[in-house]
Amino acid sequence: MVNTEYPRDWRSRRREVFEQDGYTCQNCERKGGEKGDAELLAYHLVPLDAGGSHDTANLLTVCRQCKRRLTEAADASAEGAAEDSMVDPIESLQDLQRAIAYVDKIESLVSKYANQVLGDGDVDEGEIVRNSESFLIDARDAKNHILTAKLMFANLHLEADTQAKRDAIAHLSEEVLGLLRYELEIVGYFQDYINVLTTVKCPKCGYDADQDSKLCGECSRELPVFWECLQCRTDVDELDEDYCSACGNELPELPPEQQRELESVQEATAATLTEWQSQLETVLTVVETEVVPAHKN
């Protein structure tokens, strides 16, 4: 019999998931908590009646409207209406290989985001700032890909004729969901990184201004422009440039508060990257030592 009772610490688990997801619906990106008005819920990726647990790795922050949509999609899949579902269920080893390949593609993208935040990316900071909307859209698309991958493994209905196969598949699903949670965190840090770089604060009153503002909207003081030389208006590409490459004019430095915010995002990214890489090794180990042997026998 399936145990659908909620644990005594459910509220703390739910709050932990909300905090991990930045109080943001991972499907439509509406914000809740103090930063928005969306009603947030913790969604079980693998439903309780399908053997899912209350572990935070099996929970995702969604708004009430998106939870309804996800639940309807899961019900449609369970009823055999796969064409109406958000993703096709995993019902064969070929489907499982396809889902793992999909996760592999996401890993490559997430690695680029992590490297960018940590200063090892292929794109200069100035380019990211000047095209911030495009990069933020790409990041939202990446989150949607991760959500799709989560739903793939939530829709795992692979038949197993032995207990060893069932245990191996269940363990793989659990570890992949944990891996994808770390990937969601890294994409979120990349979004935070862009927000820090595109923030313009007035050095006099601390007012947050738009990226392209020249004067403070509160006190009318001229704002420092970190990605453009104030003398000749040449674009600045790298944050650590001290002088304009075109006219030699001294460039403004990132204010200490923003520098600390940037370092905080970088530290969090580095920590999550380490956990993510460790989790990736765990997933590969489960595939090689449990899933493959179980299906060979």
Side-chain angles (χ1 to χ4, degrees), residues 3-17 42 44 48 52-56 58-59:
N3 182 11
T4 58
E5 292 185 5
Y6 282 71
R8 292 183 177 180
D9 64 345
W10 170 249
R11 288 188 178 182
S12 63
R13 295 191 194 196
R14 184 178 59 181
R15 184 170 60 252
E16 179 181 346
V17 173
H44 291 80
L48 296 176
S53 71
H54 292 295
D55 293 342
T56 54
N58 189 45
L59 300 175

Side-chain angles (χ1 to χ4, degrees), residues 189-220:
Y189 290 137
F190 177 68
Q191 292 172 312
D192 293 340
Y193 162 80
I194 294 177
N195 291 332
V196 171
L197 292 182
T198 54
T199 297
V200 178
K201 286 185 177 293
C202 175
K204 181 179 179 180
C205 68
Y207 177 78
D208 286 347
D210 294 330
Q211 177 189 333
D212 55 356
S213 299
K214 306 300 181 184
L215 299 177
C216 174
E218 189 72 20
C219 68
S220 299

Side-chain angles (χ1 to χ4, degrees), residues 78-120:
E79 293 171 1
E83 66 276 8
D84 295 328
S85 180
M86 293 178 66
V87 296
D88 293 333
I90 298 175
E91 297 178 329
S92 67
L93 283 177
Q94 185 176 5
D95 291 338
L96 181 60
Q97 291 172 341
R98 172 178 54 82
I100 292 175
Y102 190 81
V103 172
D104 286 340
K105 292 181 180 180
I106 296 173
E107 288 170 10
S108 176
L109 184 60
V110 172
S111 293
K112 290 183 179 180
Y113 287 150
N115 290 335
Q116 189 65 51
V117 175
L118 297 176
D120 300 322

Side-chain angles (χ1 to χ4, degrees), residues 147-163:
L147 177 59
T148 297
K150 279 177 168 281
L151 289 170
M152 282 182 177
F153 283 88
N155 280 330
L156 198 156
H157 305 304
L158 186 60
E159 291 187 7
D161 53 7
T162 67
Q163 188 61 45

Side-chain angles (χ1 to χ4, degrees), residues 192-203 206-209 224 226-227 239 253-266:
D192 293 340
Y193 162 80
I194 294 177
N195 291 332
V196 171
L197 292 182
T198 54
T199 297
V200 178
K201 286 185 177 293
C202 175
Y207 177 78
D208 286 347
F226 307 109
W227 306 104
L239 187 61
E253 295 181 358
L254 199 66
E257 181 182 348
Q258 279 178 262
Q259 186 62 48
R260 286 192 294 270
E261 290 178 0
L262 183 60
E263 291 171 356
S264 177
V265 172
Q266 291 171 330

